[in-house]
Structure formats: C-alpha cells, structure tokens
Amino acid sequence: MRAVCSVLLFFTIFVTTPLLADQKGARVDAEVARLAQSREWLALLHYPRGGGQSYVVDEQFFLSPMGRRDPVAELQASMSGLAADRELLCHYPARYQYLLRHGLISAQTLDHCQEYLAWRKKLDVQRVVLVLAASYLNSPSSMYGHSFLRLDPGGERAASPFLSYALNFGAQIPPGENGMLYAYRGIFGGYPGFFSLQPYYEKIQEYTRLENRDMWEYQLTLSQPEIEILLSHSWELNGVRFGYYFFDQNCAYRLLELLEVARPSLDLTTGFERAAMPVDTIRRVVDDSLVDDVGYRASRRSELDALTEELGRKEKRIVRGLAEGRLDVGAASLETYPEAMQQQLLMAAYRLLRYRYNKGRREPEIARRSLLLLRSANALGKVALPEPERPARPDQGHATSLFALELGELESRTFANMEWRISYHDAIDSISGYPPGASLEMGQLRLRWQEEQGLKLQQFVPVHIRSLSPRDAFSSPISWQVRGIAERLPGGESPLVTAVHGGAGGTWNVLGGNSYLMPSVRLEHNTEFEHNWQFAPGAVLGQLWQGRNQSAELSLSYFNFLDEGERWGYGFSVNQRLTDNQALRLRLERMTRRGQEYDEVALSWRWYW
C-alpha cells in the first residue's frame, strides 16, 4: 500500500503538475490573445477597424519590434516591459490602466512620474469640447474646415474658455512651403502628422481674428473616467509621428480615434477610411449622442457686420471717418445721434479698425486710436448692441458627398446623366450650414447615356473652387475661382477636351443676392483646334441668390480662342431643397461656338450622403 501511494505521489508531482501548468499557461496565452484583439487595445495602438497595420508610423511608440503589425506581440511586450521598468509607466499611463483593469499587471504607483503629474495638474480637465472652425478657402489646409478638442479646466478657471487648452492634430509643414506643393504633399502623405497642445486663446486668435472664421463648440458628454483615459493616452502620443493625408488621415479622423479610446463602445471611424470631412465627422459625433450643448463664436467680420448691417450710407461714412482718424470722437456730426446710436457707431469703428489691422503688429497710432474709440464707447454706459445672428449649425447642413440622376434634352435629343461628387458643396446647394459665396467641389464625375452614342464620360471635374466675398463700404476683398475640367462640348463628334481656367475680380450685394465679375483665362486642349493647346482670355459674369430652401444662379461666360474664335456660354440653374439631403435642380444652358448655338435643358434629383 505504501508503495502504491509513493507511485501516485510521484505521478502527481512529476507528471500531473507540468501538465496543469501547461494548461494554465495556455489559458493565459489565450486570454492575452483575446484581449489583444479587443477594440479597446486596438484603439490604444491606432489600428484601423478594417485590419492592417497601425496608423502610427513612429516605431518608438511600440515596445515590440512587431508592435505596428502585431497587437498580440505589443500586448505581451507591454505586460513585461511595464512590470519591469517603472519609467515606462510614466510614458504609457493609458496602457498601464488597461493592463491593470484586465488583471495583466499588478497595481503600481505613478508618484515618481513628476512630469506627467504636473502636466495633468496644469490641465485639470473637467470637460471636453469638440471645436469646428468654419471652412476657409484662402488656405489649402483649411478649405474643408478644421476640428480639434478644447480641454476645459475646473475650479476658478472654468469661467472662461480663454484659460482652456486646445488639443490639435495637424501636418508638420516647413516654413514658407508653396501652396501647390502643400496640396500635392498633403494629398499623397508627404508630411508627418503630430498631436500638439496650445492655449485655446491662440486658436481664437488664429481663426476668429486672423482668418475671420466662425467657430462652433460642441460640448461632449464624456464622463470623468473617460476624460481620464483620453488625457492619459494623449500624453502617450506626445511627439509620436503619424502619417498625414489631407482627405482621410487628417485632424478629423484622428479626433474620432481619440474618442474611441475614451469610450471603446463607440464606432465613429467606420465609413471615414477614405474621406473624413470635418463637418461629416462632427455630424457622426452628434448622431451618436455625444453632444449635449453647442456654442457659437462669431468671427471679427461677423461682429462688424452685426453692427453695420442696418446703418445707412451717412452712418457708414461716420464709421469709416472715426476708424481712419478723419473724424474726432467728439465731432458734432456724431453728437446729433442718440447715445445708443453713438455707442454703436463708435463700437463699429473700433471693430472695423481691429478687423483691418488684425494681422501683424499694430502701429502705435492705430493702437492709440483703437483704445480711444473703445473708451469713448464705454463712457456712454452699457447699451445692448446688435449681436451676430447665429447661423445654421454646420452639422445640420446637407451631407458632403453627392449622387444625382438627371434627365434632359440637347438639341431635341434626349439624354440621361448620372453624377457623383466626392465632396463638398456648390454655389446653389442649400446654403444652410455652409459659408455664403463658397463653392468647393472635388472629384465630380458625370456619365451620359444617349441612344445613338451609348454611355460616355460627359464631364470630370477634379477640382473647382470659387470664393465670392462681397465688397462693401468697409472692405474690398478679391473674389476668385479656379477649375480643372475634362468635358465634351456640344456639336460634331463631341471630343473630350481638357481645360484649366481661373479668374479674379469683385462681388457686390445687389438685386437681393451677389453679382460677380471676374476677368478670366482658359487653357484648353482640344483636338478640333489646329493647334491642340490654346490659351483664351475672357470673363465670367453672374448673379447668385443663395437660400436654405431655394437657390439660383444666372451666369454668362466669354472666351476668345485663336482657332475657334469667340465662345459664349449662358446658364441659369435653380435648386429646390426637398429634405436636408435631397433636392431637385433645373438647369438651362446655351453655348455658342463656331457660329452654332446649342441649347440644353435638364432636371435632376440630387441625393447628398
């Protein structure tokens, strides 16, 4: 009996125990493999939902040589590395919290992480706000707008957002970079992208004052534990290099990733892998019930317009005279008005002066005049001055991609068009939520079917940008446009011609809309020409009416070609909004070329998605 017991004991110690240990190890490895595929861990490593390697291109971000491609290897390296090296805890506080929550590491203190703790104390974040700066056509990097996070502190500093910080993602661009080179590199990933932190008042200075862009502030519903995760991961990303691509891996997409880190149950990035327009990503955040309040911060130009919109010509001359120093604040012409109007005129002059000299350092005389105007206005007491009217929110406008079906007739021949546009907005789309006078179209494709000719490419517009900024008593901005196009002209065999044309001129508020005139040039490649490439001077004239439900445009274009002679184009289009993302459009066009006139009429149904 004793011998039997000895055999059993031997079997237990030397055979069974290793087997049990192997089974336990297998269970641990299986758990690690499972956790490495969790959305929470993949979000911390910035792996795309559709699979593939991490968006982070900085190898130093990973603890495993395979970390960018293998989340299991990175989790194993993080478990061993953070357990053995207390300094790594200071670099990866979000990873440490993840490992601790899932029992993959023992609890440790971060008291020795003085730099990280000081950073957290300085921020003292109690609320996170997603901010959208409106689109700005005069800057290639901001044509679609720009989004970033505002980190609001608690305590006494909570009263003013000027004491908040902005968490921003953007491309690192060398000083003095050429605009065309920026566009090329930005589209094809020629710049590294980094997160950065800066005082929020600097962003206000940049957008509302220097670039005159309205800002929208979406207060997020993140809980304090979720804010904790977002901040600790933001610390991990300090100095970490990402790829940057203008259309997809941009500021808007990176912010969605951060919000998925804070709340892993969210799926915000799906659908934005190829194009992430800031306003579309804002719309996704709103739709996922992440926003409980929306604020509006008007630009300096909007503030000036609110004060001067209802003024007559005489009052506007007084405002200019005060701002330019030709009229004294105690002038008799000013004292004939009631005090409320005096204050409005003085404040309008003050804001006009700040609007005109919002870039660079102001001269002492300008600064003195500005202070005098402000003091004189304040001396009249507290008066309710006109405030900028809050426009429609950008996220409540139409979606930025377009699909359209069109039925029409060209010279008594019926055709059907199918149109697709990657983004963003044309002049007679519903203006609700979009900047007035701005057109920005990328990747417009139009296919045409006719019974005799079958299906053909009718038009392709890789880019069309137009900025109509009305001139008034206080400023004379330049209106401009540029367009690249491949299209079939009416008549003959309808060859596909390619052209680039652009122009610059002025826009004026008349007839209840905007009238514009732009001297222009067109460079066209046309196989019907004796010399295929030809350069034609010309001009574009038009009248644009923009509204939420109805918009219309009347246009006239003229170009003079060497071989073809004069080419005239006449157009009238009217757009009727049906819903936020559906519209009907009627289009009438006439072109005169080579002595022949061609008339086209078409009606289309448009769906924005």
Side-chain angles (χ1 to χ4, degrees):
M1 184 66 178
R2 187 174 296 176
V4 174
C5 291
S6 298
V7 172
L8 290 174
L9 181 61
F10 174 84
F11 181 82
T12 301
I13 295 175
F14 293 99
V15 178
T16 307
T17 301
L19 289 175
L20 293 174
D22 289 344
Q23 292 175 1
K24 182 179 179 181
R27 287 197 299 272
V28 171
D29 290 343
E31 180 67 6
V32 169
R34 184 187 68 82
L35 290 173
Q37 297 301 326
S38 69
R39 189 57 225 165
E40 190 176 358
W41 179 248
L42 295 176
L44 283 172
L45 300 182
H46 292 266
Y47 274 82
R49 284 184 176 272
Q53 62 186 10
S54 171
Y55 289 125
V56 177
V57 297
D58 193 337
E59 294 292 345
Q60 295 184 358
F61 175 72
F62 303 98
L63 297 179
S64 166
M66 297 296 295
R68 191 182 178 202
R69 294 163 291 279
D70 187 347
V72 177
E74 186 64 17
L75 181 55
Q76 292 172 331
S78 298
M79 291 166 56
S80 58
L82 270 64
D85 188 346
R86 295 177 71 244
E87 290 303 316
L88 280 181
L89 296 174
C90 304
H91 293 288
Y92 298 99
R95 289 198 199 185
Y96 164 67
Q97 293 295 335
Y98 175 81
L99 297 178
L100 185 63
R101 283 195 302 274
H102 293 283
L104 300 179
I105 194 174
S106 59
Q108 301 186 53
T109 178
L110 298 180
D111 291 346
H112 63 291
C113 303
Q114 296 302 315
E115 187 177 359
Y116 170 66
L117 295 176
W119 180 77
R120 289 296 305 273
K121 183 177 180 181
K122 178 181 73 172
L123 296 181
D124 184 28
V125 180
Q126 301 298 313
R127 182 176 64 184
V128 178
V129 178
L130 179 57
V131 180
L132 174 68
S135 60
Y136 181 59
L137 296 186
N138 291 332
S139 171
S141 64
S142 297
M143 288 190 299
Y144 291 106
H146 179 67
S147 56
F148 58 94
L149 294 180
R150 191 184 82 199
L151 309 177
D152 290 349
E156 296 179 355
R157 294 189 296 160
S160 173
F162 282 83
L163 302 177
S164 301
Y165 280 85
L167 182 61
N168 182 70
F169 178 82
Q172 188 177 76
I173 306 170
E177 189 82 321
N178 177 271
M180 294 298 293
L181 187 59
Y182 167 81
Y184 173 79
R185 289 181 174 174
I187 291 173
F188 295 104
Y191 298 112
F194 293 92
F195 280 94
S196 61
L197 194 70
Q198 64 187 110
Y200 184 56
Y201 69 80
E202 293 182 2
K203 285 295 185 183
I204 296 175
Q205 174 76 14
E206 176 183 357
Y207 293 132
T208 66
R209 299 178 184 177
L210 297 183
E211 296 180 354
N212 290 296
R213 299 161 66 180
D214 291 342
M215 296 172 67
W216 292 88
E217 301 164 335
Y218 297 80
Q219 183 175 314
L220 301 179
T221 60
L222 297 179
S223 65
Q224 203 57 43
E226 290 170 338
I227 293 175
E228 164 71 24
I229 296 172
L230 186 146
L231 291 175
S232 57
H233 183 58
S234 300
W235 173 262
E236 295 177 343
L237 299 177
N238 182 33
V240 171
R241 181 166 53 95
F242 287 79
Y244 178 87
Y245 294 84
F246 183 73
F247 287 111
D248 49 10
Q249 296 181 43
N250 53 22
C251 62
Y253 191 84
R254 290 282 93 86
L255 295 184
L256 294 185
E257 287 188 309
L258 277 187
L259 296 179
E260 289 184 343
V261 168
R263 189 180 294 179
S265 61
L266 293 171
D267 181 1
L268 300 174
T269 54
T270 297
F272 293 118
E273 295 85 357
R274 291 179 176 83
M277 300 296 105
V279 67
D280 287 333
T281 62
I282 296 287
R283 192 176 290 113
R284 174 71 62 83
V285 171
V286 172
D287 291 344
D288 276 35
S289 302
L290 272 169
V291 174
D292 62 6
D293 191 28
V294 181
Y296 168 67
R297 187 177 298 276
S299 68
R300 279 189 172 176
R301 180 69 210 208
S302 297
E303 292 175 339
L304 175 62
D305 289 343
L307 286 174
T308 60
E309 187 174 10
E310 301 300 327
L311 297 182
R313 290 185 178 180
K314 179 181 178 181
E315 287 74 28
K316 290 180 179 180
R317 285 197 297 268
I318 292 175
V319 170
R320 289 201 309 271
L322 289 169
E324 295 166 4
R326 294 181 287 102
L327 192 64
D328 188 75
V329 293
S333 58
L334 186 63
E335 293 179 350
T336 60
Y337 291 96
E339 287 191 352
M341 177 56 73
Q342 290 184 44
Q343 188 177 59
Q344 183 172 341
L345 295 174
L346 289 166
M347 284 300 298
Y350 167 74
R351 288 181 176 172
L352 174 59
L353 201 59
R354 289 170 64 83
Y355 169 72
R356 286 182 174 178
Y357 296 93
N358 61 354
K359 296 182 180 180
R361 185 176 179 180
R362 284 180 292 175
E363 297 295 327
E365 171 58 24
I366 301 299
R368 184 199 65 79
R369 195 185 311 154
S370 177
L371 181 59
L372 178 61
L373 288 168
L374 181 61
R375 286 178 173 173
S376 300
N378 290 337
L380 294 172
K382 190 172 181 60
V383 177
L385 296 173
E387 293 292 333
E389 183 179 350
R390 179 169 168 147
R393 283 165 37 183
D395 61 285
Q396 295 178 338
H398 67 76
T400 56
S401 294
L402 170 73
F403 175 78
L405 294 175
E406 186 175 59
L407 186 65
E409 186 174 278
L410 171 62
E411 295 300 303
S412 301
R413 298 165 61 189
T414 302
F415 64 81
N417 287 339
M418 181 175 67
E419 183 177 338
W420 177 63
R421 185 178 74 198
I422 297 177
S423 66
Y424 170 65
H425 173 79
D426 71 31
I428 62 171
D429 287 330
S430 172
I431 192 61
S432 181
Y434 287 84
S439 297
L440 175 55
E441 299 177 87
M442 293 284 188
Q444 180 206 17
L445 180 69
R446 182 181 294 172
L447 301 176
R448 173 168 295 185
W449 180 89
Q450 284 183 297
E451 187 174 353
E452 300 87 353
Q453 300 182 5
L455 186 66
K456 287 186 177 181
L457 172 64
Q458 179 66 20
Q459 187 181 82
F460 174 61
V461 181
V463 59
H464 177 208
I465 307 173
R466 187 174 71 176
S467 176
L468 301 181
S469 300
R471 300 185 172 208
D472 56 25
F474 306 115
S475 62
S476 301
I478 299 295
S479 294
W480 59 276
Q481 72 169 343
V482 61
R483 190 184 196 195
I485 189 171
E487 62 179 338
R488 295 188 188 277
L489 300 177
E493 295 298 321
S494 299
L496 191 68
V497 306
T498 56
V500 176
H501 70 251
T507 300
W508 297 265
N509 282 128
V510 294
L511 302 176
N514 290 328
S515 294
Y516 59 88
L517 172 63
M518 286 185 276
S520 304
V521 294
R522 180 177 173 106
L523 177 63
E524 180 174 302
H525 179 272
N526 190 333
T527 55
E528 291 184 334
F529 292 159
E530 181 178 350
H531 305 287
N532 289 348
W533 284 101
Q534 288 205 13
F535 182 82
V540 177
L541 170 69
Q543 176 71 28
L544 175 65
W545 296 272
Q546 293 181 297
R548 178 176 184 266
N549 294 315
Q550 295 92 24
S551 299
E553 183 171 18
L554 183 66
S555 63
L556 168 67
S557 64
Y558 168 80
F559 291 98
N560 195 335
F561 291 87
L562 179 65
D563 291 339
E564 185 174 78
E566 296 180 337
R567 184 188 298 172
W568 293 84
Y570 312 86
F572 175 72
S573 298
V574 59
N575 194 82
Q576 173 63 52
R577 173 184 172 273
L578 301 177
T579 67
D580 286 344
N581 288 311
Q582 292 189 70
L584 288 178
R585 179 171 298 187
L586 176 66
R587 180 170 58 87
L588 306 173
E589 294 181 356
R590 166 174 286 185
M591 177 178 287
T592 301
R593 58 186 292 259
R594 294 188 169 184
Q596 298 292 320
E597 292 184 346
Y598 303 92
D599 293 315
E600 183 172 322
V601 57
L603 179 67
S604 64
W605 168 76
R606 304 167 70 80
W607 174 49
Y608 307 89
W609 55 280

